[in-house]
Amino acid sequence: MDEKTSEYSHVVTVVAPGGESLQLVADHLESTLSAAGVTEFGPVRMLSGDGAFTAIEQAVSPQDAQSLRKALETEFSGKADICVSPSTNRRKKLLISDMDSTIIEQECLDELADFAGLKAEISAITERAMAGELNFEEALIERVGMLNGLALDTLETCYRERITLMPGAETLVATMKAEGARCVLVSGGFTYFTSRIAEAAGFDTHQGNTLLDDGKTLTGKVGMPILGREAKLAALESEMMTLGLKAVDTLAMGDGANDLAMIEAAGMGVAYRAKPVVAAAADCGVTVTDLTAVLYFQGYTDSEIVWKE
């Protein structure tokens, strides 16, 4: 962060798909700031403009940062992702992230259900649980119970044939680790998948739930205690204590209701293509671009990013 930026209370970041005109994005940002009553702002800084993204940031001192965020999100809806963040402590030292529909493009349990011919039924329960309409632990027990008798080798088939990393996942983790951050994967999903995804995406460690089996098939039971909303928050707090960090040094990211506690507690809570209840509680969201946007939100430029994809 340069000296000029430090004179302002916040930084607005706009991340659009590549091909968007930098000048048009900058003009749109300036007009929206003026319409929102922001009179104190610094020069526009380009973060990306020659590749897959068009990303800029502008230091501002708004009277109400939340109102400004809403105005910007309305103006750039469907066109760009927005972050309005404090101008200090922008680069986080701890990343703690959900896995399903965040670091990977799928919900592992729903994909397993497809092999059992139950995807529609289980996906419907997943959707309601992630929206906060159902108790997560109870919903997980119900869904896993429906997989009783599924052959163990289905897990490997599912991972190999169905599971893919979210665009930008490897780049996000590699860049933050290069800056010295610790990266932790926490999931209400299962350790069979978290262990493999953590390695594939480059995370330092992982946590998840355990599917129980009899050596040949799933028993329809999940190991206790279940890792849910409070356990994710506890993981964040434990990592902070171990590393000697404050909340402002942390970034938590997810898409479902069981991510809410850690997203609200972190210095930067990111809703990634999230349910409305999560998007409303987060500090910023990504719906248009991909996980690379989370780096631009922290002030990284293309030349600083460790590109993996």
Side-chain angles (χ1 to χ4, degrees):
M1 181 177 67
D2 60 31
E3 187 174 344
K4 290 182 179 180
T5 300
S6 66
E7 297 173 358
Y8 299 86
S9 64
H10 288 76
V11 177
V12 171
T13 309
V14 180
V15 185
E20 294 291 328
S21 164
L22 274 168
Q23 188 61 55
L24 289 178
V25 173
D27 289 346
H28 194 181
L29 173 58
E30 186 169 343
S31 65
T32 305
L33 291 175
S34 297
V38 179
T39 58
E40 298 181 45
F41 46 83
V44 169
R45 176 177 179 239
M46 184 181 78
L47 303 174
S48 178
D50 299 323
F53 306 96
T54 297
I56 62 172
E57 67 177 27
Q58 190 161 17
V60 298
S61 291
Q63 291 184 341
D64 186 337
Q66 281 297 101
S67 295
L68 176 59
R69 174 192 169 187
K70 290 179 181 178
L72 288 164
E73 287 180 339
T74 298
E75 280 297 315
F76 284 92
S77 178
K79 300 176 182 178
D81 294 313
I82 302 295
C83 186
V84 180
S85 61
S87 59
T88 57
N89 297 94
R90 294 186 67 199
R91 296 199 176 179
K92 305 307 180 184
K93 300 175 183 177
L94 172 65
L95 165 66
I96 186 162
S97 178
D98 175 43
M99 180 180 71
D100 294 80
S101 298
T102 302
I103 294 298
I104 61 174
E105 297 183 287
Q106 299 79 22
E107 291 282 338
C108 289
L109 188 49
D110 293 357
E111 297 305 318
L112 282 175
D114 199 22
F115 287 93
L118 295 169
K119 187 169 185 177
E121 295 92 326
I122 287 181
S123 294
I125 300 171
T126 299
E127 182 71 16
R128 293 186 64 198
M130 292 302 98
E133 297 174 8
L134 299 175
N135 176 277
F136 175 79
E137 287 78 5
E138 293 175 359
L140 185 67
I141 291 171
E142 179 182 1
R143 287 175 289 162
V144 172
M146 295 167 72
L147 298 180
N148 181 27
L150 190 67
L152 273 182
D153 59 11
T154 305
L155 297 175
E156 175 59 27
T157 303
C158 181
Y159 176 73
R160 186 177 64 252
E161 296 182 359
R162 300 290 185 89
I163 307 304
T164 53
L165 290 174
M166 194 71 73
E170 291 178 88
T171 294
L172 170 62
V173 173
T175 303
M176 291 190 67
K177 287 178 68 175
E179 188 76 4
R182 179 168 168 81
C183 298
V184 180
L185 188 67
V186 291
S187 175
F190 309 108
T191 53
Y192 183 92
F193 296 101
T194 61
S195 61
R196 289 160 174 77
I197 294 302
E199 181 177 2
F203 282 85
D204 293 298
T205 189
H206 67 96
Q207 295 180 36
N209 289 304
T210 305
L211 286 169
L212 301 183
D213 64 81
D214 61 10
K216 294 182 179 180
T217 64
L218 298 181
T219 64
K221 305 291 184 182
V222 60
M224 296 292 174
I226 290 175
L227 190 155
R229 181 189 300 204
E230 295 308 315
K232 289 187 174 188
L233 174 60
L236 169 64
E237 293 172 340
S238 176
E239 291 287 344
M240 285 171 53
M241 182 175 296
T242 300
L243 298 171
L245 301 178
K246 297 179 180 178
V248 72
D249 300 314
T250 67
L251 189 160
M253 184 169 65
D255 71 305
N258 64 328
D259 302 312
L260 271 172
M262 69 175 185
I263 283 176
E264 291 175 329
M268 178 181 284
V270 179
Y272 188 78
R273 299 179 185 176
K275 307 304 179 195
V277 65
V278 181
D283 297 304
C284 48
V286 179
T287 59
V288 177
T289 57
D290 67 26
L291 289 171
T292 313
V294 181
L295 293 171
Y296 296 127
F297 289 170
Q298 296 176 75
Y300 286 91
T301 64
D302 278 351
S303 63
E304 298 173 297
I305 292 174
V306 181
W307 297 100
K308 288 290 186 179
E309 298 137 291

